[in-house]
Amino acid sequence: MRKIINIASFSRSRLNQDAVKGSYYVWHSQFARKLNGTIDAHIESWSIDAALPDEQRYEKDGVTYRLFPSGFFLAPGRELSTALLNALKKEAREHEIVVHLHDYHNWQSYAVALTVNAPVVAHIHGATRRPIENLRNPRRWFAAPLFLVEQLFENAAIRRICYFFLANMRERKVYERRKLPFSFCPMAPELGVFAPMDRSAARRTIGTDEQTKMLLNVGGFAAVKNLELLVRAFAELRKSVDAHLFMLGPTYSRVYQARIMAMIRRVGVEDAVQVVGMISRERLNAYYNAADALVVASSPGEGGPTVVLEALAVGLPVVSTPVGFTRDILPKAGGLLTLADAPSSLASALRTVLGSAVKHRVQCRPWTWDDVMRSVSSTYSRLFTTARTDT
């Protein structure tokens, strides 16, 4: 039997998420469900978590989900599951498999690439970084020996990985310099969910009047979202524009959320900021259609971000710092890029969008799951053929 096994190596319980329930909704599982039926192979979605006492397994939507306990845990991404490794080696002996790592800047992925006798591809979503990049921060120099050892293991693992899919081009030069095979392949929005609708109807749905100048931030309370920059830029904007900011998404860190809320009060914009939190995708589509612009203030460690693709799918203008794939797609889509960590630049771009006499809507061909599947399916087929020829 042919199998494609998607693997994520990050304890989601450390982000206040239920390890088992959350396993169905995370990116690599969504990817697995989209892949199911597009290639002649059984699809599985595997993950690890330090909160699990033993292996959990279930079947849903034609996909097999397996969750393994992290036998050793130092921090999310710096953890190992020998149970997963042993199960994967068994699969490699009994079946034709291709292993699809979702991010490889972590210990578990190093172990998979170095010890499992099967073709391995890696999908770089962008939220993690190469170990050596930690040394750019002087406050992390005390851990330099750890980062250097990790980099050595990563360099060895890279040589065992057959192909790389990049969800953004931040690391492109690294792959070009090392002559590694790669292609651009971000995740995609659900076009059946995120689609244009009447703006007035969308505003009625969310309970906002026609006159409100409405900015949207989607992503939740996490340090990588750089909400400090967003709040400073919004406070600057409010000096000249009566705008309102709606913040959507989960709370990954309550400490970080408390710090941002205190900052909002300190700069005096609490009456113009509404924290919406987690909502359904259908209601999120109404927010995208009701808003005047999506604003992304994320720091360089951000991945896609996929919310940009969702916004563009409904025609919503996007103002973003140059993170993830925004540098590759926003200029072509009519969005605005701003300088990183420059509140005045972000505020100026928002002022431009909100000052337009006509409610601007961008038009571009959206990146779809069909595009993603075409990109990966040909690679899988080639690897299955090569593996069979080698044996």
Side-chain angles (χ1 to χ4, degrees), residues 4 6 26-37 43-45 61 63-65 102 369 373:
I4 297 171
N6 295 269
V26 293
W27 270 120
H28 76 286
S29 291
Q30 184 176 350
F31 179 91
R33 289 192 293 279
K34 293 295 182 182
L35 184 61
N36 190 33
I43 310 302
E44 302 199 2
S45 176
D61 303 326
V63 175
T64 299
Y65 298 83
H102 289 263
W369 279 108
M373 293 302 112

Side-chain angles (χ1 to χ4, degrees), residues 352-367:
T352 298
V353 171
L354 294 177
S356 175
V358 179
K359 295 303 179 185
H360 180 56
R361 283 292 184 262
V362 297
Q363 292 184 346
C364 65
R365 177 190 176 278
W367 176 257

Side-chain angles (χ1 to χ4, degrees), residues 103-312:
D103 281 326
Y104 73 90
H105 302 305
N106 59 75
W107 292 0
Q108 189 70 49
S109 293
Y110 303 159
V112 168
L114 291 170
T115 65
V116 177
N117 185 26
V120 178
V121 300
H123 214 137
I124 316 306
H125 297 289
T128 56
R129 66 181 71 193
R130 291 179 298 140
I132 200 71
E133 292 181 35
N134 288 287
L135 297 181
R136 295 176 181 175
N137 185 345
R139 290 180 294 180
R140 296 180 176 176
W141 287 354
F142 74 93
L146 172 63
F147 299 141
L148 292 174
V149 170
E150 287 179 335
Q151 191 62 57
L152 290 174
F153 274 102
E154 181 166 301
N155 292 344
I158 283 174
R159 291 193 288 271
R160 298 288 298 274
I161 295 174
C162 303
Y163 200 84
F164 298 85
F165 299 106
L166 306 187
N168 68 71
M169 301 305 273
R170 181 169 63 95
E171 297 183 346
R172 177 174 187 160
K173 291 183 179 178
V174 174
Y175 296 90
E176 290 177 337
R177 185 175 67 251
R178 296 185 176 185
K179 295 181 171 57
L180 299 171
F182 71 90
S183 60
F184 179 57
C185 185
M187 296 295 98
E190 293 285 356
L191 296 184
V193 176
F194 300 108
M197 63 183 291
D198 179 73
R199 180 175 179 273
S200 297
R203 292 209 164 195
R204 287 194 298 271
T205 297
I206 67 172
T208 300
D209 60 51
E210 289 287 334
Q211 289 70 42
T212 299
K213 294 184 182 295
M214 180 180 171
L215 298 175
L216 202 61
N217 177 261
V218 182
F221 289 90
V224 73
K225 303 302 179 183
N226 201 7
L227 299 180
E228 295 89 345
L229 171 62
L230 173 63
V231 172
R232 289 195 297 269
F234 183 66
E236 178 70 23
L237 175 69
R238 286 277 299 175
K239 294 177 182 178
S240 57
V241 179
D242 184 20
H244 286 72
L245 175 64
F246 294 75
M247 302 176 71
L248 282 67
T251 297
Y252 293 107
S253 168
R254 292 187 180 91
V255 173
Y256 185 71
Q257 181 183 32
R259 185 162 75 241
I260 296 303
M261 297 308 296
M263 184 179 183
I264 289 172
R265 292 189 292 271
R266 189 166 60 251
V267 299
V269 296
E270 63 269 28
D271 292 339
V273 176
Q274 182 176 336
V275 177
V276 180
M278 284 286 288
I279 57 176
S280 67
R281 294 185 303 172
E282 290 73 18
R283 191 162 179 82
L284 176 57
N285 184 57
Y287 271 92
Y288 281 136
N289 280 277
D292 293 295
L294 174 74
V295 53
V296 176
S298 299
S299 58
E302 175 69 283
T306 306
V307 295
V308 170
L309 297 177
E310 293 171 353
L312 294 177

